Amino acid sequence: MTTTSMRPTAAPDIEQLPEPPLRRSTEIQGNILAAFNKDYMTFRYVRFPDDKGAGGRGWLSVMLNTVSVTEAVEDFNEEFSLSRRAYGQDPSLTATWVGVSLTFQGLLQVAREPEKVKQDLTHFGSFVKGADGMAASLGDEGTSGPESWLFGSDRTGVHAVLLVAADTEEALDEKLRNITAADSAHGVVLVHQDDGRTLTGDLRGHEHFGYKDGISQPGVKDFHREDRDNPGFRENRAGAVMVEPGEFVFGHKSESGNPPEGPKWLDNGSLQVVRRLRQDVSAWNDAVVREAGKFRPSGISPELLGACLVGRMKDGTPLAQGENPVTGVGPGRNDFTYENDGQGKLTPCAAHIRRTTPRRFEPTQRHRIMRRGIPYGPAYTRGNEDTDRGLMFVCYGTSLERQYEFVQRIWSNNPNFVPGTSGAPNGIDKVTGTIKQGDPGSPDARIALADGHEGTVSMDRFVRTTGAVYAFTPSITTLRRL
Ligand code: HEM
């Protein structure tokens, strides 16, 4: 990729760039195209009362008044980035965001014609089956299986997911007080609540294993202000590939050339995946040290092995060099592919970021996901090893099967997928991949680096699923009509 060679020396003024239509959407809920990006994000999983939908509909009409839309969130994000202030520096630059989504069971509960909803969604198999119905096929078995989930299984079924995101705990609590009052007024029951919190200090913007997260995202045509000479400029992500909005929002052109299939009421909505992924940081650290020591001819550093398993150093710097040496290195770097590294000598084929986005090895952009996760639980320190901590993984797309599930099942979990040239040392994603019980293939990862070091990494997955839901994030019009 050589986009950087075209980059103008002076960055253009964002406001001078033409404003694309989706940026002004008051129909699409926030967080799908415009990220909530807050330090505090609470997830509330609720059940509606069994009263022919009246309680659920009453509750949704209250939520309708508080739900955030793309235009407001993007205006805020733009103002924030233009102010060039560090997060939290300007107390007047704050906002509290709310998003609401419905599971298939939740939609049936509030729909006036549930049979029609069922008919309309015949081709949305995974959504209809729900995250628990799909769990085994995605490797969520045993201690990661729905039997032990805190929400989302048959036992702990969920009708709606509410996201509440704020800059301060006080603002969050204030919003939550209004929401719990609406719950009580409409007989809505809280199944479980998760409190997402960005980590602080040196770990700001990092996930619990210590790696910087949230760097690579797809760019969206018709949403980002684009500088043609500098694709991805708006997001400060040179190298971000721009994909059609229909990959993330129904009713818009997708990479197939047409809008995704589905009934009209899906338009301007998106499918949401929420997964509560518990991370055993202590066990990951120990395993990385142990496995790094086994590399031949001499061991490698645990830092290097960890980076090999993720694809980036802890500060976010990618192991990939990029095709254009003038790009340099740095934590925000995203302008690379793996084309010059077919054998995985720089970024091993088992690396999490290589398996979840193989870049040019996959010719189309049909498996991209919009990630909106946030950590939960306190940062790891010695002495608090057993505390529950992890990632509230959230992503959006218009096909569960072709996007989230494909990435998890066909790329992360699958030892036969080689995101490199045929015969390259390979292995499953050691961060989030797992081989389904009884399936053939090795769960190990073979790594052979450019400096001659090689080894076979044999370690468990230290990320466990402790809750999951698939939900639909409707447009404002659809919410109003429910
Ligand atoms: C990127 C960690 C779960 C998909 C990343 C990055 C880190 C990371 C550190 C690099 C930052 C970046 O490029 O933005 C984790 C951890 C997880 C987790 C610790 C679980 C606790 C998942 C899951 C999926 C996923 C479940 C999807 C099945 C991705 C994708 C990227 C990414 C698509 C961007 C890759 C790229 O475009 O280069 N993750 N992740 N992650 N992750 Fe994860």
Side-chain angles (χ1 to χ4, degrees):
M1 186 176 292
T2 54
T3 50
T4 41
S5 56
M6 299 185 288
R7 196 181 303 164
T9 40
D13 184 346
I14 293 174
E15 285 169 318
Q16 302 303 312
L17 297 173
E19 193 164 82
L22 283 179
R23 201 200 156 290
R24 286 266 155 250
S25 174
T26 51
E27 267 296 296
I28 303 168
Q29 286 195 50
N31 211 32
I32 302 168
L33 299 178
F36 280 170
N37 274 348
K38 296 289 178 203
D39 275 1
Y40 299 83
M41 180 143 87
T42 285
F43 296 67
R44 285 171 70 84
Y45 317 97
V46 299
R47 275 187 81 77
F48 298 144
D50 201 2
D51 60 358
K52 299 204 167 71
R57 282 194 292 271
W59 182 84
L60 283 171
S61 68
V62 180
M63 295 310 135
L64 186 59
N65 290 327
T66 190
V67 144
S68 315
V69 296
T70 299
E71 178 184 52
V73 178
E74 188 58 13
D75 274 352
F76 179 91
N77 289 350
E78 195 162 292
E79 197 182 327
F80 185 83
S81 67
L82 285 173
S83 79
R84 298 189 196 283
R85 294 215 172 82
Y87 189 84
Q89 240 178 29
D90 180 353
S92 67
L93 206 54
T94 58
T96 302
W97 305 128
V98 175
V100 66
S101 311
L102 295 157
T103 62
F104 178 63
Q105 295 303 330
L107 276 171
L108 294 186
Q109 187 78 9
V110 294
R112 290 172 206 275
E113 294 177 87
E115 283 311 313
K116 175 149 190 319
V117 170
K118 279 191 195 161
Q119 247 173 37
D120 282 351
L121 297 179
T122 334
H123 300 298
F124 291 75
S126 295
F127 179 64
V128 168
K129 287 193 186 116
D132 56 337
M134 298 309 296
S137 73
L138 296 164
D140 282 336
E141 299 174 299
T143 54
S144 272
E147 309 74 45
S148 55
W149 287 1
L150 293 165
F151 61 89
S153 65
D154 258 359
R155 188 173 43 85
T156 52
V158 167
H159 288 151
V161 181
L162 197 73
L163 300 189
V164 185
D167 299 280
T168 61
E169 200 143 19
E170 296 70 42
L172 182 81
D173 287 348
E174 194 184 323
K175 188 56 100 179
L176 288 176
R177 269 195 297 280
N178 299 336
I179 283 163
T180 38
D183 290 355
S184 321
H186 295 280
V188 168
V189 176
L190 181 68
V191 175
H192 183 73
Q193 174 171 320
D194 283 311
D195 294 314
R197 298 281 184 271
T198 52
L199 300 179
T200 53
D202 291 349
L203 285 176
R204 189 169 187 79
H206 294 230
E207 50 70 47
H208 281 287
F209 290 149
Y211 296 85
K212 188 152 173 41
D213 204 355
I215 304 167
S216 171
Q217 294 278 26
V220 181
K221 293 180 189 166
D222 293 346
F223 172 67
H224 302 297
R225 291 183 202 255
E226 266 188 86
D227 175 3
R228 289 210 193 130
D229 293 332
N230 188 2
F233 154 75
R234 167 66 188 88
E235 300 305 291
N236 193 18
R237 285 189 234 114
V241 177
M242 303 298 280
V243 302
E244 296 289 351
E247 293 300 309
F248 308 106
V249 187
F250 287 97
H252 298 269
K253 185 179 163 195
S254 75
E255 288 289 307
S256 75
N258 299 311
E261 278 180 34
K264 201 80 192 123
W265 56 266
L266 296 185
D267 283 6
N268 289 315
S270 186
L271 292 166
Q272 179 195 48
V273 176
V274 179
R275 291 166 70 72
R276 185 181 193 279
L277 300 175
R278 181 172 175 159
Q279 294 173 256
D280 187 341
V281 180
S282 170
W284 161 273
N285 288 345
D286 290 351
V288 169
V289 171
R290 183 191 69 222
E291 296 299 310
K294 291 195 206 154
F295 269 61
R296 295 172 305 271
S298 55
I300 60 172
S301 72
E303 288 73 29
L304 178 59
L305 179 58
C308 285
L309 298 179
V310 171
R312 292 182 184 269
M313 305 293 286
K314 283 193 169 166
D315 73 355
T317 305
L319 294 178
Q321 303 279 301
E323 280 68 44
N324 183 349
V326 300
T327 53
V329 291
R333 237 189 78 205
N334 201 27
D335 49 350
F336 57 86
T337 70
Y338 305 109
E339 276 172 317
N340 59 1
D341 184 26
Q343 288 289 304
K345 286 175 190 271
L346 301 173
T347 311
C349 290
H352 177 66
I353 65 165
R354 187 160 183 166
R355 294 191 85 78
T356 53
T357 311
R359 304 198 175 208
R360 295 269 175 93
F361 275 106
E362 171 57 29
T364 72
Q365 292 294 326
R366 302 230 68 197
H367 308 291
R368 303 304 301 275
I369 51 177
M370 195 61 85
R371 291 177 302 133
R372 300 292 186 218
I374 184 167
Y376 73 88
Y380 166 80
T381 52
R382 287 217 177 275
N384 74 0
E385 286 89 349
D386 297 333
T387 310
D388 184 7
R389 61 172 61 82
L391 181 71
M392 294 306 308
F393 174 87
V394 181
C395 74
Y396 294 91
T398 45
S399 167
L400 294 169
E401 293 83 352
R402 202 188 60 245
Q403 293 169 305
Y404 164 67
E405 289 187 348
F406 189 95
V407 173
Q408 182 75 60
R409 186 190 300 121
I410 310 294
W411 285 348
S412 278
N413 294 355
N414 176 6
N416 298 321
F417 166 61
V418 189
T421 44
S422 161
N426 192 29
I428 65 165
D429 177 347
K430 302 306 290 177
V431 179
T432 53
T434 177
I435 291 191
K436 195 167 147 14
Q437 273 169 32
D439 275 2
S442 165
D444 294 345
R446 280 200 306 125
I447 295 178
L449 298 173
D451 68 1
H453 278 99
E454 54 181 311
T456 298
V457 180
S458 182
M459 60 193 243
D460 293 336
R461 183 174 93 163
F462 297 114
V463 169
R464 197 153 64 77
T465 312
T466 50
V469 281
Y470 289 159
F472 172 63
T473 309
S475 70
I476 302 304
T477 298
T478 297
L479 260 184
R480 191 171 290 125
R481 287 187 182 153
L482 278 169

